[in-house]
Amino acid sequence: MSTNLKMLQPYTLSSGVELKNRIMLAPMTNFLSNDDGTVSDKELAYYKERSGGVGTVITACANVLTHGKGFAGEIGVYRDEQIPGLKKLADTIHAEGAKAILQIFHGGRMCPPELVPNEEILSASAIPAEREGSKTPRAMTEQEIQDTIVAFGEATRRAIEAGFDGIELHGANTYLLQQFFSPHSNRREDGWGGSLENRMKFPLAVIEAAQAAVKKHADESFIVGYRVSPEERENPGITMDDTLQLVDELATRNLDYVHVSLSDFYQGSMREDDTTPRMELIKDRIGHLVPVIGVGSLHTPDEVEKALETGVPLIALGREMIMEPRWVEKVENGDTASIRTTLQIGTQDELVVPEPLWSTIFSVPGWFPIED
Ligand SMILES: Cc1cc2nc3c(=O)[nH]c(=O)nc-3n(C[C@H](O)[C@H](O)[C@H](O)COP(=O)(O)O)c2cc1C
């Protein structure tokens, strides 16, 4: 067993929870939940297959309100009736030996209208995303903002009651928390918009609501993490300078980690001619205050060790864990030669990638490295 590898060393979060190793399953929407947002059996099978080696599983994003549903087949965490299914999911992950973190979110203007009540999508302001076919959302009222903050707290309570070890607030990938922080989607002129400080208020209020739920319903070991996307391409859009100020604030909020969402761990700027990895900028800024999680196009054990050597303590694997569910076990057994880094047609059953996840992967050219 390759115990001298850094990735196999345990890691203790400030809340006291020990993760058995440094590898996490990245949050990945799998389109496998039932239409009413309850967890399905095929979803349990998909997670069971992927929870045996990693220290931590971060689930697909779960919507905290019906008008936050971003994908068909998404997990819901907006009704108490969903708790028994969520409990089965937490139990399945625990039975394989990993910690279980539920990612919670609201899709905001990125929700397909047909998935939300009255086909009415909501966001900070009535500005559509700069993507072909995007619909214009309605700006949330003060009451809807307050209700959404409460909903994140209630979703946290449900995750606690279902037996999860923590929640991750999905503040990345263009969804509602990011939409409030973004000068593109947030043009509000009230206290929730305008200055950088005002644009941070909604995400910070959501963190407070989640932490208040933890204080009330769990012990202090319950994990609360936050995911960010460092930049936006749009103009106006989130700049690295904005994000460094946001993470400065996050670092004072008693979070267990900050997770930096990137498609490539070493990715430079998407706004300007600057190749300095965004991850490095964030780690250098707050890594001494709060653990940062890195992710993005890391496939082989060597690549993961090298990423850990940069000083980032935890690494999440996404597509790699779809292509190779037993990635960590193979590293532990010294069987790295058999780790698959491409998706092979004909392996769907073996890899436990149920429909419609399998077809969705194949429908987006270049998303996964596919081999005949
Ligand atoms: C099928 C799929 C679904 C995803 N869904 C989510 C999601 O629900 N929440 C999230 O924060 N990121 C999501 N992501 C992004 C991943 O968490 C990860 O950041 C990205 O895939 C880059 O890591 P990788 O190169 O290891 O795949 C998804 C990625 C994939 C491939």
Side-chain angles (χ1 to χ4, degrees):
M1 178 151 145
S2 335
T3 42
N4 55 347
L5 289 172
K6 179 138 197 187
M7 70 177 97
L8 299 180
Q9 307 298 318
Y11 186 81
T12 304
L13 296 170
S14 59
S15 57
V17 176
E18 186 182 273
L19 311 177
K20 73 176 180 193
N21 62 45
R22 309 297 183 97
I23 305 297
M24 305 173 116
L25 176 64
M28 283 187 291
T29 292
N30 54 44
F31 317 99
L32 298 175
S33 304
N34 298 314
D35 286 345
D36 62 359
T38 53
V39 171
S40 70
D41 287 344
K42 56 185 183 176
E43 188 163 22
L44 295 176
Y46 163 87
Y47 279 109
K48 180 174 161 51
E49 187 66 15
R50 290 169 174 78
S51 303
V54 295
T56 313
V57 167
I58 307 174
T59 68
C61 56
N63 53 306
V64 303
L65 281 169
T66 50
H67 60 66
K69 184 168 180 170
F71 303 92
E74 186 164 279
I75 321 179
V77 63
Y78 52 86
R79 288 190 295 130
D80 284 358
E81 290 72 18
Q82 289 158 336
I83 295 173
L86 289 164
K87 183 166 185 333
K88 279 192 206 161
L89 178 52
D91 289 349
T92 298
I93 296 167
H94 285 153
E96 299 304 308
K99 297 291 181 202
I101 295 181
L102 186 73
Q103 190 186 56
I104 62 175
F105 101 129
H106 185 299
R109 70 179 184 178
M110 301 310 288
C111 294
E114 65 276 13
L115 294 185
V116 299
N118 308 319
E119 303 206 356
E120 185 179 46
I121 53 171
L122 304 179
S123 185
S125 299
I127 307 284
E130 286 184 20
R131 291 195 192 174
E132 213 174 297
S134 293
K135 298 271 183 311
T136 304
R138 177 170 64 69
M140 291 169 83
T141 62
E142 175 66 28
Q143 189 60 48
E144 283 166 340
I145 292 175
Q146 296 298 344
D147 291 348
T148 305
I149 293 166
V150 169
F152 273 96
E154 281 290 276
T156 305
R157 172 185 61 78
R158 293 185 188 105
I160 293 165
E161 290 180 10
F164 280 89
D165 302 289
I167 54 122
E168 176 173 287
L169 295 166
H170 191 359
N173 302 1
T174 75
Y175 301 116
L176 188 69
L177 294 178
Q178 181 174 331
Q179 288 163 32
F180 267 86
F181 184 54
S182 164
H184 186 277
S185 35
N186 185 348
R187 315 273 173 108
R188 297 181 76 94
E189 290 172 0
D190 58 8
W192 300 105
S195 64
L196 182 87
E197 198 188 16
N198 281 357
R199 287 189 277 116
M200 274 188 211
K201 274 189 187 160
F202 179 72
L204 295 177
V206 165
I207 293 172
E208 275 168 26
Q211 289 177 330
V214 173
K215 202 156 186 199
K216 194 157 171 206
H217 302 286
D219 66 47
E220 59 199 22
S221 69
F222 192 82
I223 299 163
V224 178
Y226 193 93
R227 198 170 210 216
V228 292
S229 287
E231 290 176 324
E232 288 177 339
R233 285 177 205 286
E234 293 84 357
N235 258 316
I238 296 172
T239 64
M240 199 60 213
D241 188 50
D242 289 345
T243 291
L244 290 175
Q245 294 186 61
L246 174 64
V247 298
D248 279 348
E249 190 58 42
L250 294 180
T252 69
R253 296 284 166 150
N254 203 21
L255 291 164
D256 289 278
Y257 65 78
V258 172
H259 188 173
V260 183
S261 180
L262 289 165
S263 57
D264 187 314
F265 181 82
Y266 300 99
Q267 196 172 300
S269 178
M270 54 165 71
R271 297 183 64 84
E272 53 197 23
D273 199 13
D274 180 359
T275 54
T276 317
R278 305 295 94 176
M279 188 65 222
E280 187 182 315
L281 293 172
I282 293 175
K283 176 198 54 105
D284 288 353
R285 185 82 163 216
I286 58 159
H288 57 294
L289 299 170
V290 58
V292 283
I293 303 176
V295 69
S297 301
L298 300 170
H299 298 293
T300 66
D302 284 349
E303 286 166 352
V304 169
E305 282 296 290
K306 215 171 128 223
L308 286 165
E309 277 162 23
T310 68
V312 168
L314 296 160
I315 293 293
L317 298 180
R319 289 164 298 173
E320 188 49 51
M321 284 291 293
I322 289 185
M323 302 187 289
E324 181 53 84
R326 300 293 165 99
W327 195 95
V328 178
E329 292 92 324
K330 288 188 172 181
V331 173
E332 284 173 336
N333 296 330
D335 183 18
T336 52
S338 76
I339 289 179
R340 289 172 270 218
T341 54
T342 57
L343 193 61
Q344 288 144 21
I345 291 168
T347 56
Q348 179 181 7
D349 291 344
E350 186 194 339
L351 299 180
V352 194
V353 185
E355 290 296 349
L357 176 58
W358 183 262
S359 337
T360 307
I361 287 169
F362 281 83
S363 70
V364 183
W367 196 15
F368 279 67
I370 309 246
E371 217 179 287
D372 279 326

